[in-house]
Amino acid sequence: MSKKQQLLKAAEAKVRTGGYNNFSFRELADEIGIKSSSVHYHFPTKADLGAELARQYTDNFLTNLGDPKILIADGKKPIEVYLQQFQCALTQDKKMCLCGLLGAETDGLPKKVKAQTQRFFEQNIEWLTQAYQQADGASEQAANAQAIATLSLLEGAMLVSKAMNDTAIFVTASAGLLATR
């Protein structure tokens, strides 16, 4: 793993447990055993690192989901696959969605980090809209409304589960998503 990837991994762990302000370049440098100036070589500013982190997280999240059309062709239910990705982050990784945390901090984020965080939500809504259209034959407008509700429910359920230290809350809140699918 390159030093740049190590920095991103360390920063992701910090952000997913405490938000954007939960790390400094010095802490990241110490964690991976490099000089603080070396962090600046890869990411001139914290905003550059934060934006790249959110961009990479979004890309990886969507890649892990796959194409809704292919999931359906393979006999899988896209909404179930989507739900499992959130549930895995909460129950196995014991962490919040990176962009969910950043989204809660939106007013205090640098513009480029805010833009990449918004991209996460836009692309997830787009993916879910396609999934609902293909799985249910919903109109674009109805599918988009379902997509927004699904993403909002899962991000909120994750937040409440973490705050209450009870993953059963997430399971209870999200159970209705699969009831008819």
Side-chain angles (χ1 to χ4, degrees):
M1 183 183 298
S2 71
K3 292 295 180 192
K4 183 176 183 178
Q5 287 304 317
Q6 289 177 13
L7 287 167
L8 287 166
K9 184 177 180 181
E12 180 179 339
K14 298 251 185 218
V15 173
R16 288 181 73 189
T17 57
Y20 181 74
N21 292 313
N22 194 37
F23 73 92
S24 68
F25 276 16
R26 180 169 298 160
E27 290 171 323
L28 295 178
D30 289 346
E31 188 171 322
I32 65 167
I34 61 174
K35 294 180 181 178
S36 184
S37 60
S38 296
V39 179
H40 288 281
Y41 170 77
H42 295 288
F43 303 101
T45 67
K46 186 174 180 177
D48 292 323
L49 190 155
E52 176 61 18
L53 183 60
R55 186 202 62 74
Q56 183 176 312
Y57 184 84
T58 300
D59 292 349
N60 290 341
F61 190 93
L62 293 168
T63 297
N64 288 339
L65 287 172
D67 185 321
K69 208 179 276 188
I70 294 171
L71 291 172
I72 292 168
D74 289 344
K76 297 178 183 171
K77 298 176 179 179
I79 303 308
E80 188 173 315
V81 171
Y82 191 83
L83 170 64
Q84 287 170 349
Q85 192 149 326
F86 272 85
Q87 192 165 3
C88 180
L90 182 65
T91 59
Q92 290 178 10
D93 298 344
K94 307 272 191 244
K95 293 190 174 124
M96 293 288 297
C97 167
L98 177 109
C99 288
L101 277 170
L102 292 175
E105 299 179 311
T106 265
D107 290 341
L109 293 176
K111 286 181 184 179
K112 56 177 67 174
V113 179
K114 186 177 180 176
Q116 287 299 320
T117 301
Q118 184 174 347
R119 178 178 165 263
F120 172 86
F121 289 102
E122 290 169 347
Q123 291 199 348
N124 273 262
I125 290 168
E126 183 180 313
W127 189 95
L128 284 163
T129 298
Q130 290 175 13
Y132 279 119
Q133 284 181 295
Q134 292 168 14
D136 301 344
S139 70
E140 185 173 352
Q141 185 176 2
N144 185 260
Q146 286 179 292
I148 292 168
T150 297
L151 180 56
S152 300
L153 180 131
L154 294 176
E155 289 286 1
M158 187 176 257
L159 177 72
V160 175
S161 291
K162 281 297 271 182
M164 300 295 290
N165 195 30
D166 184 358
T167 57
I169 291 171
F170 181 88
V171 173
T172 300
S174 61
L177 290 175
L178 303 179
T180 60
R181 293 186 164 65

